[in-house]
Amino acid sequence: MDIFGIFSIIGTIAFAVSGAIVAMEEEYDILGVFVLGLVTAFGGGVVRNLLIGMPVTAIWNQGSLLKIAIIAMTIAFLLPVKWIQHWRKSEAFFDAIGLSAFAIQGALYATQMKHPLSAVLVAAMLTGIGGGIIRDVLAGRKPLVLKDEIYAVWAMLAGLAIGLGWFKSTFELLLLFVIIISFRMLSVFFKWKLPRRSLKTGVMEKGGFS
């Protein structure tokens, strides 16, 4: 199995289970669990394919990954509630695994197609965060990847490292995989955030609003 296959399997399992858990949190039925899980696992790849010129229908050639996703979601659906609650405590870690795996996978696809660095960055970011955004929108939530601790930046960092040719061999890519997970977890632990600005008006003060 090549490095593409390794990262595809890791990302698919991590994001499929993530989508299934969110669906159960929202009390969706079993069909909703499978739909949300599949969208989370494959949504980012579909968006990436649209942007870098790969056939969107390539998803139907990933029969083994679809089976892996379905098996992972079925196991998640059948797990005891206590086990799922325990998993949720480590949710950020598994989400980081999916982010890192898919960001690297997306960057590798773009570089293989000889796209410029800007396209590699976009492919890495959208493959890493696209499924999570679609998942949150379908679940009626604000996309956490756009407002939570630093998230998309780490996917872009993976794309930058691969696009510049800093990580090429299997060992180097696995090292990058660990690095991206570590940075993501550090941002969760220390609550690193990008600068933000709110346009909400403040409290009434003398002379008007603050």
Side-chain angles (χ1 to χ4, degrees), residues 66-192:
L66 285 169
K67 292 177 183 177
I68 289 172
I70 290 172
I71 291 172
M73 290 182 294
T74 301
I75 292 174
F77 186 79
L78 296 175
L79 284 176
V81 174
K82 289 184 178 181
W83 288 22
I84 295 176
Q85 291 174 343
H86 179 72
W87 181 90
R88 287 175 61 191
K89 295 178 181 178
S90 306
E91 185 174 2
F93 177 68
F94 287 100
D95 197 59
I97 291 175
L99 170 73
S100 181
F102 273 169
I104 293 173
Q105 182 216 57
L108 289 173
Y109 273 122
T111 53
Q112 189 180 55
M113 296 180 68
K114 308 299 182 183
H115 284 303
L117 180 59
S118 57
V120 176
L121 290 174
V122 172
M125 180 182 69
L126 290 180
T127 311
I129 75 172
I133 291 178
I134 299 172
R135 173 200 66 202
D136 290 340
V137 170
L138 290 179
R141 302 178 173 186
K142 292 182 179 180
L144 294 179
V145 301
L146 300 179
K147 66 186 292 292
D148 203 2
E149 295 86 3
I150 297 176
Y151 192 92
V153 171
W154 306 130
M156 296 177 68
L157 180 64
L160 179 66
I162 292 174
L164 293 176
W166 295 345
F167 295 83
K168 294 181 179 180
S169 69
T170 299
F171 174 77
E172 290 172 341
L173 291 171
L174 290 173
L175 178 61
L176 178 62
F177 173 65
V178 174
I179 291 172
I180 298 302
I181 292 175
S182 300
F183 274 120
R184 169 55 185 159
M185 294 311 297
L186 284 172
S187 66
V188 171
F189 184 78
F190 292 107
K191 299 189 182 300
W192 293 341

